Amino acid sequence: MSAAPTRPRVVLIGPMGAGKTTVGHLIAEAWGLPLRDTDADVVTREGRSVADIFVDSGEEHFRELEATAVAAALAQHTGVLSLGGGAVLDDRTRKLLADQSVVFLRVGLADAVQRVGLGTGRPLLLGNVRARVKALLDERTPIYESVATVVVDTDGRTPQEVADEILAALADPNGADDG
């Protein structure tokens, strides 16, 4: 009998401001599992911030680093995994997500803009923040929806309310998540 493949318990996707890291911490804590963030993996590997990678090496280079980090995390991590907002743009990543438990944290324009503020440290938001967030949501939402197994709306909700909905949606039918 072969061992079950290593895979994250859940993968969180969505745009910046959706709450992937915050909600991810709550879910990981509830399950007693670690949280892994692929943007943090890239930063650790490169020794520089995402913004610095974008400025110094360009978005294309960052996306390659991101795709590599996502593939590694999907193969190695058994906890809660949070992907960067643009990770799903890569065809390879979408293929790897096909057999995963993927939750799309959907956020509307007003809430996203409020949460990201002026976009400090977010290289894709240079210029008119509201217009850039709208363009990113318009471009990426259909992609997020196409790879998600569960969609959770976050607008007007606390991170705990969002986490509770995800925990309920992904509860083990054998009752292992009771508590």
Side-chain angles (χ1 to χ4, degrees):
M1 187 170 175
S2 64
T6 301
R7 66 183 315 131
R9 177 77 182 272
V10 65
V11 180
L12 301 177
I13 63 170
M16 59 187 86
K20 297 179 299 288
T21 302
T22 302
V23 171
H25 278 294
L26 294 170
I27 295 168
E29 184 179 311
W31 282 338
L33 295 171
L35 171 69
R36 184 166 174 177
D37 182 311
T38 57
D39 278 352
D41 289 352
V42 170
V43 168
T44 299
R45 179 176 171 211
E46 290 294 297
R48 53 191 175 141
S49 70
V50 170
D52 285 345
I53 296 168
F54 264 76
V55 170
D56 297 340
S57 304
E59 182 176 0
E60 185 176 334
H61 179 69
F62 172 77
R63 295 295 174 209
E64 279 300 316
L65 296 171
E66 180 177 54
T68 300
V70 170
L74 288 170
Q76 302 163 356
H77 187 63
T78 58
V80 177
L81 180 61
S82 173
L83 303 189
V88 298
L89 299 175
D90 189 283
D91 289 337
R92 297 165 295 181
T93 295
R94 289 195 303 274
K95 286 178 182 146
L96 291 173
L97 291 174
D99 64 346
Q100 302 286 333
S101 178
V102 179
V103 175
F104 167 32
L105 299 182
R106 183 167 42 205
V107 63
L109 178 61
D111 278 32
V113 169
Q114 181 180 359
R115 292 175 190 170
V116 300
L118 296 177
T120 304
R122 297 184 185 265
L124 288 179
L125 295 185
L126 296 176
N128 181 332
V129 173
R130 186 175 183 84
R132 289 295 300 138
V133 170
K134 181 179 183 337
L136 290 171
L137 290 175
D138 289 349
E139 171 193 5
R140 296 177 180 177
T141 295
I143 300 170
Y144 294 134
E145 291 172 343
S146 75
V147 297
T149 53
V150 175
V151 177
V152 177
D153 289 307
T154 67
D155 286 359
R157 301 174 76 192
T158 67
Q160 189 63 59
E161 290 169 336
V162 173
D164 288 345
E165 182 175 336
I166 294 166
L167 291 167
L170 301 179
D172 182 343
N174 298 319
D177 290 330
D178 290 346

